[in-house]
Amino acid sequence: MSTKPWGPFGLGLCLVPCLAYLSAATSAQENLDLTHVPARAVAAAVIHPRQLTQRPEWELMPWEIMQVAAQQEFGIDPLALERVLLIAPAPNPAAPPEWGAVLTFSQPQQLAVKLLEQTEAASVGSTEYQRALRPDLPSFCQVDPRTLV
């Protein structure tokens, strides 16, 4: 058993997503904004949902139903999602798993009152955000009308 903080396989498992992330981030087609990625992030993945919806393999997905449900529950249009940047920090054995996401939309989004009712206003330094009232719900910050962290 390894006494290193990464465990016997941790560093290798960390490098795989990091390398995949770096290859995507250096792509000539991708202009990736890392402004909202914390310094302690060790892995990230980029998903382009709008591109996925246009692939033949996904043509039978009930996109309209998901769109209506997401707009009612969250006030966001999943079909307007240009990019999702998923972020993970190094694991902490003393805490539950953490993750984050930066959602970038093609058009402004108005968050649903239903979603906002499950949060309370909070701040970290000068950044205001909505803190979840329960641990199973997400906290979030609407940076601008097209960006949700």
Side-chain angles (χ1 to χ4, degrees), residues 35-144:
T35 304
H36 307 294
V37 176
R40 62 192 189 101
V42 296
V46 177
I47 303 167
H48 296 93
R50 278 186 47 163
Q51 290 179 9
L52 289 175
T53 64
Q54 298 167 4
R55 299 198 41 97
E57 307 88 53
W58 294 82
E59 71 181 286
L60 296 178
M61 286 292 287
W63 295 116
E64 294 81 11
I65 294 170
M66 292 189 308
Q67 183 178 32
V68 169
Q71 287 175 328
Q72 287 177 347
E73 292 294 316
F74 309 114
I76 63 171
D77 181 356
L79 298 183
L81 260 171
E82 288 288 335
R83 180 176 48 234
V84 176
L85 174 59
L86 299 170
I87 307 158
N92 179 353
E98 293 181 289
W99 62 276
V102 180
L103 309 177
T104 305
F105 296 89
S106 61
Q107 58 200 26
Q109 303 294 300
Q110 179 68 43
L111 298 179
V113 171
K114 193 175 194 178
L115 177 64
L116 295 171
E117 289 174 343
Q118 299 175 34
T119 64
E120 63 185 2
S123 64
V124 174
S126 63
T127 303
E128 295 182 12
Y129 73 101
Q130 296 301 122
R131 181 176 37 221
L133 296 176
R134 298 188 340 232
D136 61 324
L137 298 172
S139 295
F140 54 88
C141 175
Q142 190 165 18
V143 177
D144 60 54

